[in-house]
Amino acid sequence: MPITPATETHSSSNGTTQPILLELVDEKGVTIGTAEKLAAHQPPGQLHRAFSVFLFDERGRLLLQQRALGKYHSPGVWSNTCCGHPYPGEAPFAAAARRTYEELGVSPSLLAAAGTVRYNHPDPASGLVEQEFNHLFVGLVQEPVSPDAEEVGETAFVSAAELAERHAREPFSAWFLTVLDAARPAIRELTGPSAGW
């Protein structure tokens, strides 16, 4: 099997390498076990813990990322600022902050929990399935991003109107609207009514 972000190993604290494991959860988000990352996404999918981050600049514009073409799942499509999976036992907040820095080279100046959402989104292109219990976070970014090219193809800051226009003409991740809609109350609280979210 080729080495991809889904099948690669990561180093543990004792220096050994091991497959990337995800935390399996029940419908209430209670941990019930673990599964290897790619196996958890094979149809019909295993419900697992995930997170989605929405970062905004001082003008209330959302930072989008275009997923790198080398990604095993949904390559080349636009999505929210950052999304991923906590390691087993890792707090979703810590995972969200960690992956935002790893993918975009930036630490949010503010990051706050914005609820959870549960969804089931098959990806027609890859045949993989996102069965996720997703922890949502919103925040601010006040420094330039420095994306990891293996993770991120492009980035863009967009207003609510610009997002609607872009979404109508460019491919977005299957889960994007689900997580955006679930996070909207917190986004509106963060950005204020004039931003239009």
Side-chain angles (χ1 to χ4, degrees):
M1 175 183 293
I3 299 297
T4 70
T7 58
E8 68 187 352
T9 57
H10 69 94
S11 296
S12 67
S13 58
N14 64 10
T16 62
T17 58
Q18 46 192 280
I20 293 176
L21 296 178
L22 306 186
E23 208 168 74
L24 300 181
V25 299
D26 66 16
E27 294 291 338
K28 295 181 179 176
V30 176
T31 302
I32 57 171
T34 60
E36 189 275 325
K37 185 176 180 180
L38 188 58
H41 290 87
Q42 297 289 344
Q46 298 177 71
L47 184 59
H48 57 275
R49 195 176 308 285
F51 63 83
S52 290
V53 176
F54 296 84
L55 295 183
F56 295 82
D57 68 7
E58 69 283 348
R59 293 168 50 191
R61 298 179 304 166
L62 172 62
L63 174 59
L64 296 177
Q65 73 154 274
Q66 185 182 43
R67 294 165 63 84
L69 291 175
K71 301 279 269 187
Y72 79 102
H73 190 347
S74 301
V77 302
W78 288 92
S79 199
N80 50 292
T81 308
C82 179
C83 52
H85 309 94
Y87 293 129
E90 182 182 27
F93 181 93
R98 172 180 59 79
R99 284 303 292 163
T100 299
Y101 185 79
E102 290 171 356
E103 290 187 10
L104 296 162
V106 66
S107 295
S109 57
L110 170 76
L111 192 63
T116 60
V117 62
R118 191 262 196 252
Y119 53 79
N120 174 4
H121 284 300
D123 176 35
S126 67
L128 300 175
V129 178
E130 289 288 7
Q131 284 266 20
E132 294 188 331
F133 188 94
N134 197 304
H135 297 257
L136 307 170
F137 298 94
V138 300
L140 298 173
V141 60
Q142 295 178 307
E143 54 189 274
V145 297
S146 179
D148 177 349
E150 291 188 12
E151 297 286 344
V152 180
E154 289 184 54
T155 61
F157 281 97
V158 295
S159 67
E162 290 165 341
L163 174 62
E165 191 176 286
R166 185 182 288 255
H167 192 271
R169 60 181 162 79
E170 296 188 48
F172 273 72
S173 63
W175 61 87
F176 176 73
L177 284 181
T178 300
V179 292
L180 175 63
D181 286 345
R184 275 188 201 275
I187 290 171
R188 290 180 184 129
E189 187 174 335
L190 176 73
T191 61
S194 62
W197 293 102

